[in-house]
Amino acid sequence: MQTRIRKSMIGAAFGFAIALISGGFAGILAGLVAGLINGYVVPEAEPLADKRRAIVQGLTVALVGSVLTILGIVLRNVVIDPIIGVPLNLIGVAIAAVGAVLLCVLVSVVMCVVRTEPPARERIGMAIVVGIILVTYPWLDQFLNLRFMNEVIPVLVFLLMALGLNIVVGYAGLLDLGYAAFFAIGAYAAAMVSSPHFGLSLSFWLAIWVAAAVAAIFGLILGSPTLPLRGDYLAIVTLGFGEIVPIAIKNLDNVSLSLWNYPLFVDVDLTGGTKGINPINRPWLPIIGEFSPSNPIPWYFLILGIMLISIFFISRLRNSRLGRAWTALREDELAAGAMGINTVNVKLLAFAIGATFSGLAGAFYGAYISAIFPESFRFDVSVMLLCMVILGGLGNMSGVILGGIIIQFADRLFLPQMSTVVQKLIVASGNESLRDINFASDFRLLLFGLTLVLMMVLRPQGLVPSNGSARVLPVAAGEARHD
Amino acid sequence: MTNILETRGLTKRFGGLTAVDSVDFSVATGSITSLIGPNGAGKTTFFNTVTGLYTPTSGTIAFAGRSLVGLKPHEVTAAGIGRTFQNIRLFGNMTAVENVMVGMHSRMHANVLGILAHSARVQHEEATARAKAHALLDAVGLPAQRADDLSKNLPYGDQRRLEIARALATDPELLLLDEPTAGMNPQETAELTQLIRRIRDERAITILLIEHDMKLVMEISESITVLDRGAKIAAGLPHEIRSNEQVIEAYLGRGAASMAHAHARNGGEPT
Ligand SMILES: Nc1ncnc2c1ncn2[C@@H]1O[C@H](COP(=O)(O)OP(=O)(O)OP(=O)(O)O)[C@@H](O)[C@H]1O
Ligand SMILES: [Mg+2]
C-alpha cells in the first residue's frame, strides 16, 4: 500500500507539472499522462492477481494522480494566471479539471486491469492502450490547442537515441560518454547524400539507410581503439571522441588530399563548416506528398514508426544469443570470455548496433529541421542521453523510455515554460533585479548533473529496474570484482 | 591410453614470482585427475594459463593434439575445455537458465541478421538451447523452481552447481574444476562427488580437479599431481601420493595442521 502511494507519485508529479506549466486545457492531458504512467509503474512494483483488487488499485492510483493534477490546474489557472495578466475562466478550469479526473481514472483503471492478465495478453493489452493514446495524440493536441507537437517530435528523436545508447551502456555495460557523435555522423551522412550540397539529392528513404550504415561503421571505427579499456578509462576516451567529431565536422569545409604530390581533390567542402548543410531533402510519400514543416503530424508518425520498429528489433536482439553475450560481458568480462564469448566481436557489435539507432535519429532530425549545424551535437547531448538511460533504469527499455520522457519533458517543456511563468511573476511583482535570470538556459545542465549524481547515489538501478534487479553503471558499481 | 592434455615445461612468471615452474603434466583421456598442493602453489595459475587467461612465459600446451599457446580464452573454450572458477564468477544479474545458455554461446550460430529476421533456424536453435539448459540444471541438481531466479540470489551450493552446469554447457571434452566443494558442508560435498563421477561416466568428459578436500581427492581421483611453489613435486596414483615423503613435507613442513585440513582461501583469478 505504502509503495503503491509512493510509486503513484511519479505519475501524479507529471500531471501536476504539466497542468502547472501549460495551463488551459493542458490539464486534461496532464490527467491522461498521470493515469498512464501510474498504470504502468505501480503494478510493476506491486503485481496484482485479481480484477477487483486491480480496479481498487487503479482508483487509488488515479486518486493521487487526480488530486495533484487538479492542484496544478488550480495553482496555474486560478492563482498564477490572474497575477500574470491572463483573465480567469472558471468554466474552462472546471472543464479541464473534470476532463483530467475522467481520463486519469479511466486510463489508470484500464491499465491496472490489463496488467492482471497473463503476460502475453498483458503485453497486447498495454500495447493497445498505449497505441490508442499515441495514435490519437496529434488530434487531441489540436483539439485542446496544446501546441506540444513541435516538442513531442524531438522528444521521440532523443528517445530513439536513448534506446540505442541503452544497448551500449545498459546491455553491454560500456560507458560511452560520446554517443552524440553518432547522431552527428548519421545526420551529416544523410545530409550529404540527400541535399543539393553535393548535388546528390537522394530520397530521404534511401538516405536514412546510408546514415544508419555510416553510423554503424563509425561505431566500429571509434569502438575499436577502446576495446582494451574498461570503466572510467573507456568513459574518458569516448568523451574525447564525442568532442572530436563536432570539431572535425566544423573543420571539414575545405579538405584537400594529395597522393605523392598528385592532388586527388582540392578545397572540397565536405560538411559546410560552421554554416552546416541547408536545405536537406524532406521525405515524400504518395497521398501525403512532401512532408511540410508546418504540419507536424506526418513527422510525428514517421518518427513514432521508426521508434516502434527499433523497439521491436532491439527486443529481439536482447533476447538472443547476442543479447545474452552483451549482458554476460557487462556482468563479468573475464568469465564471459572463458564461457566462449569473443568479447572483442561482441563489444564491437554493441558499439556498431548502438550507433545505428543514433544514425537513424540523426537522419530523421536533419530532414525534420531541414538543416544541420555542428553545434547541434555538443557534449550536453551525450550527457542528457546518459541521464535519460540512467534515470529510468539501465538495461530496461520501458525504464529508459520513462526516464527519457521525464528528462526530455523537463528540458523542453517544463524548464522553458516555467521560466516564462516565473519571468512574468517577477515582472508582475515589480522586482527589477531578478529579471535576467533565465531558468531554462541557466539551470539546465545543473539539473542533469544533479539528476545523474542523485540517481547514482540514491537509486543506481533506476526508477524501473529490469527484473527487479540492480543493474548499475560500471563505474558506480566499482570496476571488477575482487572477492 | 592417450592424453587429452599435455604440458611440457609450462612456466608462468609474474615479475619475479614464478607461479608455475616448468611443469610437465598430462591428463589421460577419460580420467578423473586431481591437481593438489598447498595454498599459493600455482594450481589456479596453471588453470588460467591452460585456458588462455594468461599467456605462458614458456613451455607448450597440447590439447587433443593441438597447441593452445596463444589462443584466446573463447578459442580454448571452443576447442573443448570448460572450466569453473575458485571464486564463483556467475553472471549475477542473469537467471540460472540464462547463465547456462551463455555457456552455449560458442556452440550456437545465430548471427545479427538471423536474430533480427527471427529466422526459423534461430528460433529452433534458441528453443533447443533453452531446453538443453533446463536439462543441464536438472543434471547438476539445481531445483527446477530456481531456474528463473537471478543467479546472485541462489544459495551458495546452488551457485557452485550452476557454475558446473554453465561449464558443461560449453560442451567440453575436458572439464577443469577449481575447488568445486569449497565452502560446502559434508553432505553437499558427497553429492558433488557423485555428480563429478556421473559427469565423467555418463558424458565421457575428462575431469581435471583442483581440490583441498583430501578425502574427496583420494576417493575420486585416478591420478594425482602435486604442485608446490609452482613446481611439480609428485605425480601418481592416490596411494602413491598419500605416502610420498615430499608431498607430506610440502604440506606439513609449512605448518599446516594436516594434509586433510590444508585450507583457507583467497585470491585466484586475475582481475
Ligand atoms: N595475476 C597475478 N599476478 C601476480 N601474482 C599472481 C597472480 N595470480 C597469482 N599470483 C601468485 O601466484 C602464486 C600462485 O597462486 P595461485 O592462485 O595459482 O595458487 P593456488 O595454488 O591456486 O592457491 P590456492 O589453493 O590458495 O587457490 C601466488 O603466490 C599468487 O599470489
Ligand atoms: Mg587457487
Side-chain angles (χ1 to χ4, degrees), chain B residues 183-200:
Chain B
M184 284 190 165
N185 64 33
Q187 195 212 327
E188 289 174 319
T189 304
E191 284 169 17
L192 205 80
T193 313
Q194 287 309 310
L195 174 63
I196 294 172
R197 254 207 207 100
R198 267 210 327 273
I199 290 172
R200 196 271 307 265

Side-chain angles (χ1 to χ4, degrees), chain A residues 138-214:
Chain A
W139 290 280
L140 184 72
D141 186 285
Q142 272 179 359
F143 179 67
L144 299 178
N145 199 17
L146 299 177
R147 300 175 199 284
F148 286 164
M149 280 299 275
N150 288 326
E151 299 300 336
V152 168
I153 290 167
V155 168
L156 291 174
V157 172
F158 273 76
L159 283 180
L160 177 59
M161 277 195 280
L163 291 175
L165 181 61
N166 185 44
I167 295 178
V168 184
V169 184
Y171 295 169
L174 305 163
L175 183 52
D176 184 347
L177 289 185
Y179 184 71
F182 302 117
F183 181 45
I185 288 168
Y188 270 92
M192 285 178 196
V193 298
S194 175
S195 71
H197 188 71
F198 287 129
L200 276 170
S201 273
L202 288 186
S203 139
F204 169 84
W205 307 110
L206 285 175
I208 193 165
W209 296 112
V210 173
V214 171

Side-chain angles (χ1 to χ4, degrees), chain B residues 1 16 23-25 59 74 181 196 202 237 247 261:
Chain B
M1 197 192 279
V23 171
D24 296 340
F25 185 81
H74 70 93
T181 69
I196 294 172
E202 291 170 10
L237 301 173
V247 175
H261 292 99

